[in-house]
Amino acid sequence: QVQLQESGPGLVKPSQTLSLMCTVSGGSISRGGYYWSWIRQHPGKGLEWIGYIYYSGSTYYNPSLKSRVTISVDTSQNQFSLNLSSVTAADTAVYYCALQLWLGSWFDPWGQGTLVTVSS
Amino acid sequence: EIVMTQSPATLSVSPGESATLSCRASQSVGSNLAWYQQKPGQAPRLLIYGASTRATGIPARFSGGGSGTEFTLTISSLQSEDFAVYYCQQYNNWPRTFGQGTKLEIK
């Protein structure tokens, strides 16, 4: 079955860009109907959906983050990535990647998550 | 944006007893509601989708109900591994939104 694994720096300086990668295994990122999302969880807090990408490159972002978010896909590497610009301490969180089997479905499975701390 | 409100924030229950968790949506989401379980240091795990359908491998002691704006997750005969944080999530509207979670703790 599909598995996801996040990777990237665990520490980012304020005002810089946070960049994370999600590697998909056990299935093709180019499979029709699959939508690939990023979700984050602030320490000790709830969950916030960031945005999704389709293998074609089509994206949709949470309006609350839209001005700072870019999600891209590399089908040759079976990966998709998250860039979040102009980060502040408020962007410190565990970042998860997750799969939606179709656009109108729930999130399953999830990656294990990666903690990103924004600090100088 | 649809606001999901879970109650209570913390629920203390003894092993072997049942627990009922609530989730309310600020507007109707139909049956497009999922429940997740999260243990410390782990990613959320899908329990229920479609408000009442158990995900693959989820024990029958987990049951979901409701539609529209009011939903429940009931866990019967609580086992030690069930004590965790539970989140509801609507997938009827964009952006997708989650409740703030209910922590189920051992009494």
Side-chain angles (χ1 to χ4, degrees), chain B residues 19 26 30-31 40 44 65 73 78 87 92:
Chain B
S26 61
S31 294
L73 173 69
L78 279 161
Y87 294 95
N92 194 66

Side-chain angles (χ1 to χ4, degrees), chain B residues 1 9-10 13 18 22 29 32 34 39-40 44 57 60 62 68 70-71 74-75 103 106:
Chain B
E1 153 174 332
T10 302
V13 184
S18 294
S22 296
V29 298
N32 296 315
K39 296 180 179 179
F62 290 89
E70 301 284 344
F71 301 89
T74 299
I75 312 168
K103 181 179 181 180
I106 299 175

Side-chain angles (χ1 to χ4, degrees), chain B residues 1-98:
Chain B
E1 153 174 332
I2 294 178
V3 176
M4 307 299 293
T5 303
Q6 292 186 241
S7 60
T10 302
L11 185 59
S12 299
V13 184
S14 300
E17 296 185 339
S18 294
T20 298
L21 289 64
S22 296
C23 175
R24 173 177 292 177
S26 61
Q27 64 187 77
S28 177
V29 298
S31 294
N32 296 315
L33 191 285
W35 288 94
Y36 302 88
Q37 177 194 68
Q38 187 177 37
K39 296 180 179 179
Q42 297 184 16
R45 177 176 73 141
L46 177 70
L47 297 176
I48 300 283
Y49 61 89
S52 61
T53 302
R54 283 189 304 277
T56 302
I58 302 303
R61 64 179 182 272
F62 290 89
S63 62
S67 66
T69 62
E70 301 284 344
F71 301 89
T72 58
L73 173 69
T74 299
I75 312 168
S76 60
S77 189
L78 279 161
Q79 307 294 304
S80 58
E81 61 266 29
D82 299 335
F83 292 93
V85 179
Y86 292 83
Y87 294 95
C88 61
Q89 178 241 328
Q90 65 81 19
Y91 51 94
N92 194 66
N93 286 55
W94 298 98
R96 302 310 196 215
T97 49
F98 296 83

Side-chain angles (χ1 to χ4, degrees), chain A residues 38-57:
Chain A
W38 286 98
I39 298 163
R40 71 180 181 179
Q41 184 171 35
H42 295 102
K45 303 291 186 181
L47 297 152
E48 179 181 31
W49 174 77
I50 298 170
Y52 74 70
I53 191 163
Y54 192 54
Y55 77 93
S56 63

Side-chain angles (χ1 to χ4, degrees), chain A residues 55-78:
Chain A
Y55 77 93
S56 63
S58 173
T59 56
Y60 186 82
Y61 303 136
N62 192 322
S64 67
L65 296 166
K66 184 178 180 179
S67 63
R68 299 193 292 129
V69 171
T70 302
I71 299 176
S72 56
V73 64
D74 184 342
T75 56
S76 66
Q77 297 296 316
N78 230 33

